[in-house]
Amino acid sequence: MAKDNFVRRADGCILLCDTDVDTSPVRKARRDMKAGKFAPARELLAAAADEPTRGYLMEALGDWDGDEASPVDRWHASEPCRESSLAMCVRLMKHAWIARGGGYAVKDYEAFGNRLKSAEAHIRAVLADSSIGASPLAPFMWRGMAMGDAELCEEIWQQAQRRDPWNRRVHTANTYRLAPRWLGSPGQNIMLARETVRSAPAGSGLASLLIEAHWLTDESEDDRPDTPYWVTDEVREDVSLALELADRDGYHGAEGFRTRQWLAYGLWKAGARANAGDQFVSIGKVWNQWPWGGFTRFNRLLSPFYKARKQSLEARNARRH
């Protein structure tokens, strides 16, 4: 898909963000939802050709900021159906985390707890249908992480293995779960990511998992390239492996666009700027919330994306000459 088909999502919630860029059909469907026209959203999600596309559309149609009733809330209230229920899995979990806030201190414990329970009840009801894929389990994982409930997280992980063992969104959520800052121990998520990407079937789209695991492990919060963590042989080998596997799989739709974001970041941080430049050529000027930072449209210039893009494209041009 051409890079100019992707645009930043202006009215989504940056919390629990996986992919917050919209394709042209998604952008139109979101406009229609705000106008009270829900058929385009339903038809778009119903027509999803595969589980990665379905997972992307669940988030794209269920991602709305704010405490007030959102377009997806109104859609599900007026037209409860399989498609609106899937989108609500994302909305309800994000709505819970809006009550928590993105800082270390919880803003509203009572609202956070109540909303988490509502989100869990809804997702469990959706998953009662055995034909539903594993994508709703990705937001569900954040329920267990929110409460430090390792047992629930493992239950969710095992259910995902039964439904769709190579679901990228669930693997990403599990990589968060096993990060030292959450419920894991140092190196645990990296070792699992290595094992996963090496054994995953071609076309799984899991290559970026290795870079995500390192991003979660590096707690320096240093937005410069060539920082000590990223220039070790171990990390550089993992970034190279991620690039090799991504090139093997190809870059398809929103999932492929997201993969390029992580590759650009990892290559830039590891000092492979010219290779990062190859990714930025395809990305253009549209960045995903993660790994480029939790910046809203009002302070987006603080993101390292623009600096990384400039440096990487310069290195790519120098390589060509």
Side-chain angles (χ1 to χ4, degrees):
M1 191 172 290
K3 63 178 179 288
D4 60 359
N5 280 353
F6 292 96
V7 294
R8 290 277 303 154
R9 188 174 305 144
D11 44 9
C13 171
I14 67 171
L15 299 172
L16 314 190
C17 174
D18 184 279
T19 308
D20 68 338
V21 296
D22 291 339
T23 62
S24 297
V26 164
R27 192 179 190 189
K28 180 181 182 304
R30 286 176 65 88
R31 284 199 301 262
D32 286 337
M33 289 173 72
K34 287 192 281 189
K37 297 182 286 187
F38 306 123
R42 183 185 68 248
E43 292 164 2
L44 196 60
L45 194 43
D50 50 42
E51 193 62 21
T53 303
R54 188 172 297 108
Y56 164 68
L57 291 172
M58 279 175 54
E59 180 179 18
L61 301 175
D63 177 21
W64 301 89
D65 202 8
D67 272 326
E68 66 281 357
S70 72
V72 72
D73 292 305
R74 293 191 288 273
W75 174 22
H76 190 60
S78 64
E79 185 187 277
C81 59
R82 180 186 177 102
E83 290 73 32
S84 66
S85 294
L86 287 170
M88 283 296 290
C89 293
V90 172
R91 165 59 181 170
L92 288 169
M93 193 59 68
K94 288 201 171 204
H95 192 227
W97 280 76
I98 288 170
R100 186 203 182 283
Y104 289 105
V106 178
K107 291 194 305 183
D108 188 332
Y109 274 102
E110 183 176 3
F112 184 41
N114 290 337
R115 292 179 188 183
L116 282 174
K117 291 176 184 176
S118 296
E120 176 175 357
H122 178 84
I123 294 173
R124 286 192 182 277
V126 168
L127 291 170
D129 182 348
S130 61
S131 70
I132 295 290
S135 292
L137 291 164
F140 196 7
M141 186 72 81
W142 286 96
R143 164 68 168 99
M145 290 165 61
M147 307 307 292
D149 191 335
E151 186 175 335
L152 175 59
C153 287
E154 186 60 24
E155 173 198 329
I156 293 165
W157 176 244
Q158 293 303 324
Q159 186 174 168
Q161 298 309 290
R162 294 190 295 272
R163 287 178 185 258
D164 180 5
W166 302 112
N167 185 285
R168 199 277 307 158
R169 284 176 175 261
V170 176
H171 276 279
T172 291
N174 196 53
T175 297
Y176 273 83
R177 191 244 306 202
L178 297 178
R181 68 183 72 175
W182 289 100
L183 301 178
S185 55
Q188 187 178 5
N189 63 345
I190 295 171
M191 288 187 290
L192 181 59
R194 285 194 191 116
E195 177 185 331
T196 299
V197 300
R198 286 173 174 153
S199 58
S204 64
L206 283 164
S208 67
L209 203 64
L210 260 177
I211 297 173
E212 295 177 64
H214 282 295
W215 176 76
L216 285 162
T217 302
D218 174 22
E219 297 187 344
S220 68
E221 298 185 359
D222 191 332
D223 284 332
R224 296 172 299 173
D226 303 328
T227 49
Y229 179 90
W230 287 88
V231 298
T232 62
D233 289 343
E234 177 187 18
V235 174
R236 282 178 162 170
E237 286 171 8
D238 283 344
V239 172
S240 295
L241 176 60
L243 177 60
E244 176 187 338
L245 295 176
D247 283 345
R248 178 202 69 182
D249 287 354
Y251 304 89
H252 308 291
E255 281 289 297
F257 191 79
R258 179 186 184 277
T259 297
R260 287 191 185 279
Q261 301 274 340
W262 283 99
L263 287 172
Y265 180 84
L267 291 163
W268 173 68
K269 288 288 286 183
R273 293 186 187 83
N275 288 339
D278 294 337
Q279 302 301 323
F280 280 111
V281 167
S282 295
I283 290 170
K285 297 181 180 180
V286 181
W287 51 279
N288 199 56
Q289 195 72 33
W290 304 116
W292 298 110
F295 300 100
T296 69
R297 61 186 180 277
F298 299 112
N299 63 356
R300 63 185 182 276
L301 293 178
L302 298 176
S303 169
F305 176 85
Y306 301 98
K307 174 174 66 177
R309 182 175 185 273
K310 181 176 183 293
Q311 292 175 349
S312 299
L313 291 176
E314 287 174 350
R316 180 178 184 270
N317 290 335
R319 180 188 65 189
R320 294 172 66 191
H321 295 95

